[in-house]
Amino acid sequence: MRGAHKLSSGNRVLGFRDAHRFAFCSDPSRLAQHAGQRDGGGETVLRNLFCRCLHRHHVQYMHEHNVRIRFIGYIQGLSEELQTIISDSEALTKNNTGLTLQLAINYGGRDEIVRTVQGIAHSVLEGQLAVQDITEQYVSSHLYTQEFSDVDLLIRPSKDYRISNFLLWQLAYAEFWFTDLHWPDFTKETLLEAIAAYQKRERRFGGLQEE
């Protein structure tokens, strides 16, 4: 959570409204594939890492700095212990009005889209939704991130140059910024550097470059 602490500090300077971060798990299908069963070794490792990350001290720090913690992903696929930790963290910080920090756990971008499409298809079959009413806006309003706008800036640390199945729908028109630093080594100055680079970009949202 060290990087999250620094991010909350940077927010007080820059006035961010929300930020998204991958937690400790890839998508649910891969977790099941590698762990074998939900109670297998894969989730034991996940649970230990997650419990350490969301130690009461860290959550309390975020709460004291007016950060709202929110989780996205297939939360129902996790153990009851993990679901309780998630629920308690969200409940403690739900009324905070500063940065909203969304942590993706048991999350995959493709899985999110599939589950959203399944829900929409069910509504069509039940006669609750007409096919012609399925728009980009409608799909966006049924994703895990439904209360937020699409991503403006993706910061990719650790010398990696891939999306890693993260927020595939929401990153459609995002700007990317890459760094060799690992996330725990991030500082407020690193964040300011990324923002400065972003401010120099021309946002076209699929349009042509202006002459």
Side-chain angles (χ1 to χ4, degrees), residues 65 95 108 120 128 136 155 158 176 184:
H65 286 77
N95 294 322
I120 292 173
Q128 301 169 353
E136 287 189 18
I155 298 176
S158 308
F176 287 61

Side-chain angles (χ1 to χ4, degrees), residues 6 25-26 30 39 48 51 71 73-74 79 116 120 126 129 133-134 137 152 158 167-168 177 182 184 188 190 193:
K6 297 168 186 174
C25 180
S26 60
R30 291 185 181 274
D39 295 329
N48 291 339
C51 289
F71 295 87
Y74 183 49
S79 66
T116 300
I120 292 173
E126 292 294 319
L129 177 68
D133 292 332
I134 303 174
Q137 291 74 21
D152 293 310
S158 308
L167 298 177
L168 298 181
W177 189 79
H182 296 293
K188 186 167 62 177
T190 310
E193 181 183 355

Side-chain angles (χ1 to χ4, degrees), residues 1-10 19-24 48-65 67-71 85-86 88-90 92-93 99-105 182-187:
M1 281 286 235
R2 281 185 297 157
H5 291 180
K6 297 168 186 174
L7 185 61
S8 67
S9 176
H20 313 263
R21 184 192 171 192
F22 240 144
F24 296 109
N48 291 339
L49 285 171
F50 195 62
C51 289
R52 186 169 61 188
C53 173
L54 284 181
H55 187 275
R56 182 177 298 275
H57 168 75
H58 295 300
V59 174
Q60 186 63 35
Y61 175 91
M62 303 302 264
H63 179 51
E64 291 173 356
H65 286 77
V67 175
R68 180 168 73 107
I69 300 175
R70 186 175 180 274
F71 295 87
I85 293 173
I86 288 171
D88 289 347
S89 300
E90 289 186 331
L92 176 65
T93 63
L99 174 75
T100 295
L101 178 63
Q102 293 198 104
L103 297 174
I105 180 170
H182 296 293
W183 173 247
D185 298 324
F186 250 63
T187 65

